Amino acid sequence: MKYFYVGAAPDVDGQVLTAVRERMAREFRVPVRELELPRIEFALDPGRRQYGSIPVLEMLARVCPADGLKLLAVTEGDLFIPVLTFVYGHAQLGGQVAVMSLARLRQEFYGLPPDRETFIERALKEALHEAGHTFGLVHCADRSCAMTLGTNIRQVDAKRAAFCASCAAYLQRRNREGALRLRES
Amino acid sequence: MKTHWQILVVDDEEVMCESLAAWLREDGYQVDTAASGREAVEKARERDYAIYFVDLKMPGGMDGIETMMQVRRLHPDASIIIITAYATVDTAITAMKEGAQEYIVKPCNPEEISLLVNRIIKVKNLQRENTILRKKLSRQYSFHDVISKNSKMRDVLRLAQEISGLRSTVLIQGESGTGKEMVARAIHQAGDRAAKPFVAVSCAALAETLLESELFGHEKGAFTGASQQKPGKFEMADGGTIFLDEIGDISSKLQVDLLRVLQERCFYRVGGSEEVRIDCRVIAATHVNLQEAVAAGTFRDDLFYRLNVIQIRIPPLRDRREDIPLLARHFLERLSHELGKEVGDLSEGALQVLIDYNWPGNVRELENALERAIVTCRGRELTEENFSFLVENSRGPRRLEIPAGMSLAEMEKLLIVETLQRANGNIKESAAILGIDRSTLYEKIKKYEIPR
């Protein structure tokens, strides 16, 4: 049996983690487990005061359990890749691990009053987006699809916490092929 | 579609290279990486990438600017984005001057980079679509390299297609530069003689005796300097087509010889006694009105009728202005490639100048104008300024510049050349302007070897 792991350090918002786990189970129809992860201070760039997503992905690849189909880490830290000022998340395309950040999903980050519902909705969109990449999905041209590229919070808000018909069909096809491969082996 | 476009990320810092590549792959692009300028150039040799992200500072003797210059030599249309962590105005200016499409400072906003890539890909998609459409259009309006959408010219090309399979003699009439030889070649290429030679002879370019030997060849010892037998153009064109340009300019003696070839399909080499039989199609061309020449007694009527079996009249460019944009773009594409210049487009203003101009020298003048404009163009688009010489040409009567030390004969030649140009090569009109009769003008044209 393979599991979809949702991992986080103890400081991460528990309500969000529950919502993400439920959504992953429903969306990808796989059993979901939680995994406690270490804090990601090792990835901190003191100059940028942000966390490098590449060392985080490397750590995740090392700690992913043997029965892990995928491992999606959720962090409070603001993530970056060297060439960009920030990323909402980072995944191994068609790989096993991904990480998403909650830092820029809260209204407070933009100087606005807290809005719990919006925050959780955004987190679900990003969780679907990064998990989608690990299943091989690339950015989608459909602006309402969870797989569309969101480079600012307006674009994140404009998409839905769901895959478009085309991306959903791709995932279904992959699921069928995966199940077939498992039966054959 | 993004997947068609390939991107190369060039950076000596692996983490930088791989993270940008991964980010772009998530966006659906096919991305390769190179760890140095040299590796990038090697990869560019193997594959034509749509976009190159090149780090400015790289060790190993080849920095981003040098890499960009070498890549651009291989792929002039490649879009190159220079990335740097050290933003200075000087480096930005250098990068843009050397042809970088964009210059970004890392770390850059994901929105900025996403918009940038989308914009470049959008332009590339449009360019590709444009190229495909132009090719389609060019095929629609062309017949063996003769391009036109003018109804009269389309009739000419239709006739050329219809008669391409026949052996009948063709007489092509049209002003200088209208493309008479192009039409003759098209007839040859479209017919079943295409695999055989097409031999073109300019009858106006050679003196009578030379032309005779050129056309019919000569035997060894036929004249001083004829050290060995030489086949003439008619023999060289055996099985194919001979194109006799400026047929109106040949002497009375040659007119008789040519008539015999057309009637009997045989001739004697100069100084020879052995009859040479040939099977070649004759296409003749002239910019003078042969009927007028017949009436004036300067051209044999029997030869005229022999030549005039199928007559094709090519309209001057000023009577088919709708072809100007089509031809201009065709020449731009070909010449910019031949001249090694990256001039890819014509501004609306430039096109209007070309459409408004009178083109006394017809398509040949248009081609020359495009060449001159491309050579002097400093940008990637030809504008009205690049064609300012045409505007000057078309303004009123031109002043003749007569440098001191010029002989009377040279001055006369210059005046005749200028008058012929102004009258679009029309002999009658030129003779009237100069106040001499046409035969005198013909004599002077011949004497001064003025090309028409």
Side-chain angles (χ1 to χ4, degrees):
Chain A
M1 172 74 85
K2 290 275 186 184
Y3 296 93
F4 189 113
Y5 281 90
V6 175
D11 63 329
V12 178
D13 190 306
Q15 198 185 353
V16 168
L17 289 176
T18 306
V20 167
R21 280 199 301 273
E22 283 173 8
R23 192 58 202 270
M24 295 300 108
R26 206 168 70 236
E27 193 68 46
F28 299 109
R29 292 180 193 151
V30 282
V32 174
R33 280 182 170 178
E34 55 186 297
L35 180 70
E36 189 175 322
L37 294 170
R39 291 173 62 86
I40 57 167
E41 294 312 304
F42 63 90
L44 179 70
D45 181 318
R48 295 178 63 149
R49 285 188 284 179
Q50 285 176 303
Y51 298 86
S53 61
I54 295 165
V56 174
L57 286 184
E58 286 167 355
M59 178 273 284
L60 293 176
R62 283 196 303 274
V63 303
C64 183
D67 59 357
L69 174 67
K70 306 286 176 193
L71 167 56
L72 170 65
V74 183
T75 177
E76 294 284 350
D78 190 18
L79 298 172
F80 77 95
I81 59 170
V83 76
L84 298 178
T85 47
F86 76 94
V87 288
Y88 288 117
H90 195 173
Q92 288 178 330
L93 187 63
Q96 202 177 20
V97 298
V99 59
M100 58 169 282
S101 162
L102 300 178
R104 290 173 188 254
L105 303 182
R106 289 189 178 84
Q107 287 290 70
E108 301 90 299
F109 185 85
Y110 306 96
L112 297 167
D115 180 343
R116 197 81 193 142
E117 200 181 328
T118 302
F119 168 55
I120 291 174
E121 182 75 1
R122 286 171 179 170
L124 292 180
K125 290 173 187 177
E126 284 313 296
L128 283 174
H129 186 96
E130 298 309 333
H133 280 320
T134 64
F135 284 102
L137 280 173
V138 294
H139 291 154
C140 180
D142 182 342
R143 295 268 172 203
S144 65
C145 175
M147 287 315 297
T148 197
L149 172 66
T151 54
N152 59 47
I153 204 65
R154 287 188 311 280
Q155 288 172 353
V156 173
D157 286 342
K159 58 185 175 181
R160 293 182 305 129
F163 295 116
C164 69
S166 162
C167 290
Y170 170 87
L171 288 170
Q172 266 182 7
R173 201 168 57 243
R174 251 190 84 111
N175 262 348
R176 273 201 305 275
E177 286 165 7
L180 195 67
R181 271 201 301 277
L182 278 177
R183 270 209 304 278
E184 281 171 354
S185 64
Chain B
M1 286 290 288
K2 290 173 174 178
T3 45
H4 293 310
W5 300 109
Q6 298 186 320
I7 298 176
L8 184 68
V9 180
V10 191
D11 201 319
D12 58 308
E13 268 186 84
E14 194 189 347
V15 67
M16 196 68 79
C17 211
E18 287 303 330
S19 62
L20 179 58
W23 194 78
L24 291 164
R25 282 186 197 116
E26 283 183 359
D27 215 11
Y29 296 106
Q30 290 181 36
V31 190
D32 281 345
T33 58
S36 67
R38 273 177 229 295
E39 191 186 339
V41 175
E42 282 309 308
K43 288 196 167 171
R45 250 186 254 283
E46 292 163 14
R47 189 168 290 173
D48 185 8
Y49 296 94
I51 306 177
Y52 295 77
F53 281 91
V54 183
D55 187 42
L56 184 66
K57 294 216 168 182
M58 287 189 291
M62 197 191 272
D63 66 1
I65 301 285
E66 178 61 29
T67 305
M68 174 175 70
M69 285 160 74
Q70 293 210 22
V71 166
R72 285 196 76 83
R73 270 199 280 276
L74 294 168
H75 306 293
D77 291 335
S79 297
I80 299 172
I81 301 167
I82 292 284
I83 314 173
T84 181
Y86 317 94
T88 66
V89 174
D90 283 353
T91 49
I93 290 172
T94 310
M96 300 308 273
K97 261 189 182 169
E98 295 300 340
Q101 188 137 356
E102 290 289 343
Y103 178 90
I104 57 173
V105 180
K106 62 186 173 187
C108 74
N109 192 303
E111 189 172 15
E112 186 188 340
I113 210 163
S114 172
L115 285 172
L116 178 61
V117 173
N118 282 343
R119 197 174 69 224
I120 292 173
I121 294 300
K122 202 171 177 180
V123 171
K124 293 227 171 254
N125 277 327
L126 284 172
Q127 281 171 340
R128 186 155 70 173
E129 196 181 355
N130 198 15
T131 309
I132 293 167
L133 287 173
R134 273 189 191 169
K135 273 188 186 153
K136 271 189 189 168
L137 198 67
S138 154
R139 272 200 296 273
Q140 189 182 341
Y141 291 130
S142 77
F143 169 63
H144 293 273
D145 289 341
V146 185
I147 300 165
S148 180
K149 59 178 177 180
N150 170 269
S151 61
K152 278 187 193 166
M153 199 61 193
R154 300 295 304 159
D155 289 344
V156 164
L157 298 182
R158 206 169 296 120
L159 178 62
Q161 173 80 70
E162 283 166 13
I163 61 163
S164 60
L166 310 175
R167 203 184 73 164
S168 313
T169 305
V170 182
L171 178 64
I172 304 175
Q173 300 206 65
E175 289 179 11
S176 291
T178 44
K180 297 185 284 290
E181 185 172 337
M182 291 281 283
V183 171
R185 278 184 192 276
I187 294 170
H188 173 76
Q189 287 299 328
D192 47 14
R193 293 172 178 262
K196 294 292 174 85
F198 175 90
V199 180
V201 188
S202 174
C203 301
L206 299 166
E208 183 189 329
T209 47
L210 268 177
L211 182 60
E212 190 184 3
S213 150
E214 191 75 7
L215 288 176
F216 306 119
H218 60 251
E219 295 292 345
K220 184 178 177 182
F223 48 83
T224 314
S227 55
Q228 56 187 24
Q229 190 206 61
K230 187 191 161 200
K233 299 286 189 190
F234 270 104
E235 278 180 86
M236 288 159 87
D238 195 23
T241 304
I242 188 163
F243 174 63
L244 303 173
D245 200 6
E246 309 296 11
I247 194 80
D249 293 358
I250 62 170
S251 68
S252 329
K253 183 188 176 300
L254 264 176
Q255 288 182 30
V256 176
D257 292 343
L258 197 56
L259 182 64
R260 183 178 142 78
V261 177
L262 290 176
Q263 280 173 337
E264 296 167 25
R265 301 275 159 188
C266 64
F267 60 88
Y268 294 94
R269 294 189 194 100
V270 176
S273 54
E274 191 190 332
E275 200 175 64
V276 182
R277 298 206 72 80
I278 42 116
D279 164 33
C280 74
R281 181 180 202 166
V282 176
I283 302 179
T286 176
H287 71 277
V288 297
N289 188 327
L290 280 191
Q291 265 165 320
E292 276 183 19
V294 169
T298 53
F299 202 83
R300 289 183 70 101
D301 57 351
D302 43 7
L303 178 58
F304 172 69
Y305 295 123
R306 273 280 167 194
L307 291 171
N308 198 29
V309 179
I310 298 165
Q311 192 188 79
I312 290 179
R313 223 171 246 284
I314 305 180
L317 190 55
R318 63 181 171 280
D319 289 349
R320 49 183 182 111
R321 290 184 193 270
E322 64 269 47
D323 284 347
I324 293 172
L326 211 60
L327 288 164
R329 290 210 168 93
H330 168 76
F331 290 136
L332 175 66
E333 197 174 311
R334 181 166 62 74
L335 292 168
S336 56
H337 179 72
E338 282 175 16
L339 297 167
K341 298 270 287 188
E342 291 172 28
V343 185
D345 215 347
L346 272 158
S347 74
E348 284 298 316
L351 216 46
Q352 200 53 52
V353 170
L354 298 183
I355 292 168
D356 292 344
Y357 185 63
N358 213 30
W359 301 110
N362 291 295
V363 184
R364 188 183 296 131
E365 188 184 5
L366 175 65
E367 185 178 3
N368 292 344
L370 259 298
E371 183 168 347
R372 182 170 164 181
I374 292 167
V375 167
T376 55
C377 179
R378 291 192 172 176
R380 290 178 179 222
E381 183 184 66
L382 294 178
T383 61
E384 314 168 51
E385 286 77 44
N386 297 115
F387 293 101
S388 54
F389 57 92
L390 289 179
V391 180
E392 283 159 20
N393 282 357
S394 61
R395 267 187 214 133
R398 275 174 54 186
R399 293 175 67 86
L400 263 186
E401 280 189 28
I402 302 166
M406 201 178 211
S407 72
L408 199 58
E410 284 167 337
M411 207 170 83
E412 188 178 50
K413 182 182 174 183
L414 185 65
L415 187 63
I416 292 169
V417 169
E418 288 289 333
T419 310
L420 280 167
Q421 274 182 6
R422 282 200 61 78
N424 300 329
N426 187 309
I427 296 289
K428 196 175 169 186
E429 192 183 332
S430 302
I433 294 169
L434 293 166
I436 53 176
D437 59 38
R438 277 181 300 167
S439 55
T440 311
L441 181 55
Y442 274 120
E443 276 169 26
K444 289 187 186 293
I445 288 169
K446 201 169 176 182
K447 177 183 165 191
Y448 294 124
E449 294 177 350
I450 296 169
R452 286 178 296 152

